[in-house]
């Protein structure tokens, strides 16, 4: 199938600003699904609220655009009630880790077979540039006019500690890797987290004087390095890209099937 | 073979009703006095191939059942006041996206953590207006276990018929008290399944284009029709829209589909109302004491009757008017500061003849409490 067969052209033009990284994630996501040869009918995309969450409107899957921060809770109901479906949940950094932080760690802990993509632009894009739990110490935002004093989460460490069985990170600059990691995250059986560092030139870029989309993407190229690279040893400040965790562990819905077996065997 | 006659708590009667109605998926978070519902369903649901999950909070619980409803299942969650407060945003989502689901609130005293193990009926207005924005809602209640069972079945039927969340407002007394429950034979109470689209694969399906009768046939997630569901105002494709005529059309549809059918959704019981000069209006466990008073005073020749409401929302104004406008006095019996009493006053021609008999101290309202108010109303002093 061609890429455009996965899009709902009726719903274009999209709402994103020129240069926004969210469109790159959409592109890679569709290429990953295409490579996997999945049927559109077997994919449910569940999203919350934010610029990133609007991605669900543009793809021709079953799509559930929900409320801010709760996408993983809705997705849990979708997946558990029909485990044969593939459930993909794109989220903003605020959506996933501020208001949705509790659902995030619990979905990871359960190891339910959902693919969570955290589109991390380090800002609340949709509401106009307030700081997020991933903005980072010292950054500027409309609600941090004297510089942000909040420390950030490390999404990878958080997901790992919470029990996600596939954890990876890349950026919108590294589109080949992005497509490949989405593909692997979907294939993984269990809770997969992919953090995608992405750019919001309109707010994060402008507030922090980082230039336009091109400059921001070049920055992501320079600021990151493959996991365990020599560059990282020389410069510990570099952010690592790649797969941090990939392990097999009982998946939640499969485990629940066993509960059904046990309950049925115990008679009514 | 399970016995058809049981001696159970009201919460178990609710579980039995839900299973009878075809419940397949439950998500919840423990809270007194509703917890027994989750406990029983964790054991009962998987035995029939259904699924139970204890979520991380009540927000997640309602969100999860909405997701499960979209894959084509009958779904329910259960909570009490504090949890019901947490659910309000997702409740509005279910209204907006027209998702059939049942939410049980076994009421306890509030606000806040309030009085967890004692009775109250003070969530009536939370059920009506807890979520933001104009909207319609359906809420049922019951005063005894057979009715808890029946109204639970009704809740599923109405949720599936109108594509709406339905709130079951029980209370601590009904939830925890034990009494007899007779489970009807399968088929004895008709069950409603949601309308599913007959549109064939490859032909455009408009998920949010109401038929002439206002109903919207659904298509299960995972099926051949792929569409968008959102809490934003949306067009017939389910795609976000801020077009004023789309917005206006949708809010009218959401409200009208419930309010225009208020009389069809109204469930109530009449006791000795034909010649009643004094009319008690009550619901839930408070109606038990009200009925006791009516039976006692009838024995003494007084013309008193009871209207027991089982539908609280949409408010059954027509039946209230019909019953109350002929009465000399109307006394609303409830365990809150007059949440339904206000509604009755609005509905009748002479609101000055409507009085409140209530308790708000966590103690179950007794027949004596009600009789004392009746004496005051009649100018006799206590
Ligand atoms: C309960 C609730 N609180 C706040 C909002 C307002 N709101 C909408 S999107 C958003 C944050 C978006 O930031 P993020 O999740 O990082 O996504 P982005 O727009 O950056 O892609 C907020 C605070 C809301 N819609 N609902
Ligand atoms: S505000 Fe930022 S995140 Fe939102 S669309 Fe524009 S660039 Fe993208
Ligand atoms: Mg963001």
């Amino acid at each position: 199938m061609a890429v455009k067969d996965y899009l709902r052209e009726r719903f274009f033009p999209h709402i994103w600003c020129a240069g926004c990284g969210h469109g790159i994630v959409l592109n890679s996501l569709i290429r990953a699904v295409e490579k996997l040869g999945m049927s559109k009918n077997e994919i449910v995309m569940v999203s919350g609220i934010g610029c990133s969450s609007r991605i669900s409107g543009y793809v021709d899957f079953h799509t559930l655009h929900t409320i801010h921060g709760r996408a993983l809770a809705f997705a849990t109901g979708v997946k558990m009630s029909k485990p044969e479906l593939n459930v993909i949940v794109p989220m903003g950094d605020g959506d996933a880790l501020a208001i949705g932080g509790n659902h995030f760690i619990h979905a990871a802990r359960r190891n339910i077979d959902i693919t969570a993509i955290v589109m991390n632009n380090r800002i609340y894009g949709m509401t106009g540039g307030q700081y997020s739990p991933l903005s980072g110490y010292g950054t500027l935002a409309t609600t941090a006019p004297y510089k942000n004093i909040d420390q950030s989460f490390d999404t990878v460490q958080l997901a790992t500690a919470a029990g996600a069985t596939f954890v990876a990170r890349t950026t919108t600059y590294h589109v080949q890797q992005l497509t490949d990691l989405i593909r692997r995250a979907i294939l993984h059986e269990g809770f997969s987290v992919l953090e995608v560092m992405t750019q919001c030139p309109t707010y994060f870029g402008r507030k922090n004087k980082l230039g336009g989309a091109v400059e921001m993407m070049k920055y992501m190229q320079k600021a990151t390095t493959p996991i365990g690279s020599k560059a990282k040893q020389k410069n510990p400040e570099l952010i690592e890209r790649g797969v941090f965790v990939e392990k097999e562990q009982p998946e939640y819905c499969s485990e629940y099937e066993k509960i059904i077996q046990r309950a049925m065997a115990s008679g009514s | 073979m399970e016995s058809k006659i049981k001696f159970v708590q009201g919460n178990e009667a609710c579980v039995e009703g839900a299973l009878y109605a075809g419940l397949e998926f439950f998500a919840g978070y423990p809270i007194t006095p509703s917890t027994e519902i989750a406990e029983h369903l964790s054991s009962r649901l998987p035995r029939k191939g259904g699924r139970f999950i204890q979520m991380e909070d009540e927000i997640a619980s309602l969100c999860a059942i909405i997701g499960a409803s979209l894959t084509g299942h009958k779904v329910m969650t259960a909570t009490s006041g504090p949890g019901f407060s947490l659910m309000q945003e997702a409740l509005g989502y279910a209204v907006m996206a027209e998702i059939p689901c049942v939410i049980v609130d076994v009421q306890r005293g509030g606000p806040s953590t309030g009085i967890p193990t004692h009775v109250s009926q003070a969530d009536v207005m939370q059920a009506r207006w807890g979520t933001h924005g104009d909207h319609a809602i359906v809420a049922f209640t019951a005063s005894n276990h057979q009715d808890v069972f029946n109204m639970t079945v009704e809740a599923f039927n109405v949720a599936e018929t109108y594509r709406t969340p339905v709130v079951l407002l029980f209370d601590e007394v009904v939830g925890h008290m034990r009494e007899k429950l007779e489970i009807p034979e399968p088929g004895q109470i008709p069950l409603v399944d949601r309308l599913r689209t007959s549109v064939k694969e490859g032909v455009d399906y408009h998920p949010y284009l109401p038929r002439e009768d206002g109903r919207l046939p659904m298509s299960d997630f995972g099926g051949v029709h792929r569409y968008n569901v959102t809490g934003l105002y949306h067009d017939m494709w389910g795609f976000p829209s801020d077009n004023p005529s789309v917005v206006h059309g949708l809010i009218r549809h959401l409200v009208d589909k419930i309010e225009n059918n208020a009389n069809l959704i109204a469930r109530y019981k009449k006791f000795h109302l034909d010649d009643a000069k004094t009319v008690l209006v009550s619901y839930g466990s408070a109606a038990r004491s009200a009925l006791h008073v009516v039976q006692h005073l009838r024995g003494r020749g007084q013309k008193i009757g009871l209207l027991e409401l089982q539908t609280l929302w949409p408010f059954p104004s027509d039946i209230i008017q019909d019953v109350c406008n002929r009465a000399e006095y109307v006394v609303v019996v409830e365990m809150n500061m007059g949440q339904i009493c206000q509604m009755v006053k609005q509905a009748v021609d002479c609101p000055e003849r409507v009085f409140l008999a209530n308790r708000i101290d966590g103690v179950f309202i007794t027949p004596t409490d009600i009789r004392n108010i009746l004496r005051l109303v009649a100018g006799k002093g206590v």
Side-chain angles (χ1 to χ4, degrees), chain B residues 2-258:
Chain B
E2 274 182 69
S3 121
K4 291 286 160 211
I5 296 185
K6 295 178 169 252
F7 186 67
V8 292
Q9 289 192 324
N11 285 341
E12 291 174 72
C14 173
V15 165
E16 295 294 346
L19 292 170
Y20 185 94
L23 175 68
E24 296 164 295
F25 187 92
F26 178 96
Y29 189 84
I31 183 168
T32 306
S34 76
T35 306
E36 295 83 4
I37 296 176
E39 287 175 340
H40 283 274
L41 283 170
S42 70
S43 149
R44 296 287 296 280
L45 265 176
R47 280 194 243 166
K48 51 168 263 189
R51 289 174 168 83
F52 166 93
I53 184 169
Q54 183 170 311
M55 294 298 287
E56 53 274 20
D57 59 30
E58 290 86 348
I59 303 175
S61 301
L62 182 48
C63 296
I65 70 165
I66 292 171
S69 182
L70 278 162
T71 62
H73 298 90
K74 289 192 176 176
V75 301
M76 182 169 96
T77 183
T79 186
S80 186
F84 193 43
S85 295
L86 286 181
M87 288 179 182
Q88 294 302 330
E89 188 192 8
L91 178 59
Y93 184 87
V95 169
M96 184 59 122
E98 304 189 66
I99 312 294
C101 56
V102 174
I103 300 149
V104 184
D105 171 11
V106 187
Q107 297 166 93
R108 65 191 224 179
S112 189
T113 309
I115 184 157
T117 53
H118 292 261
V119 72
S120 160
Q121 294 178 311
D123 295 353
V124 172
M125 283 297 169
Q126 181 176 220
R128 178 65 190 88
W129 290 116
T131 199
H132 62 282
D134 283 321
H135 63 281
I137 198 80
V138 178
F140 292 149
T141 177
S143 63
N144 62 69
H145 291 12
Q146 206 61 49
D147 285 350
V148 166
F149 182 97
N150 291 337
M151 294 314 293
T152 303
V153 176
E154 281 287 291
F156 280 90
N157 285 350
V158 166
E160 299 287 334
T161 303
Y162 296 97
R163 285 193 61 168
T164 181
V166 174
V167 181
L168 280 168
L169 277 179
F170 299 135
D171 56 64
E172 191 276 335
V173 165
V174 164
H176 280 163
M177 170 182 73
R178 284 182 186 275
E179 67 180 7
K180 187 179 119 175
L181 170 71
E182 194 172 344
I183 298 178
E185 290 298 325
Q188 210 170 313
I189 307 180
L191 303 181
V192 176
D193 282 321
R194 67 188 59 175
L195 210 57
R196 287 188 166 83
T197 182
S198 56
V199 172
K200 299 266 175 321
E201 182 169 12
V203 179
D204 277 345
Y205 159 67
H206 301 108
Y208 289 98
L209 182 65
R211 303 195 311 190
E212 237 164 63
D213 61 1
R215 294 185 68 185
L216 293 142
M218 296 186 78
S219 175
D220 299 346
F221 269 24
V224 297
H225 299 294
R226 299 175 302 275
Y227 59 95
N228 191 50
V229 178
T230 179
L232 291 164
Y233 277 93
H234 48 270
D235 60 19
M236 66 182 180
W237 300 101
F239 201 72
S241 171
D242 54 11
N243 177 322
S245 72
V246 169
V247 173
H248 185 262
L250 180 53
I251 183 67
R252 280 259 55 113
H253 160 74
L254 294 176
V255 171
D256 290 351
K257 74 173 183 181
I258 304 297

Side-chain angles (χ1 to χ4, degrees), chain B residues 350-371:
Chain B
C350 302
E352 66 279 8
R353 289 199 221 138
V354 178
F355 300 89
L356 173 65
N358 69 345
R359 265 192 100 133
I360 51 170
D361 56 357
V363 178
F364 183 61
I365 191 163
T366 63
T368 308
D369 296 326
I370 301 168
R371 272 197 303 270

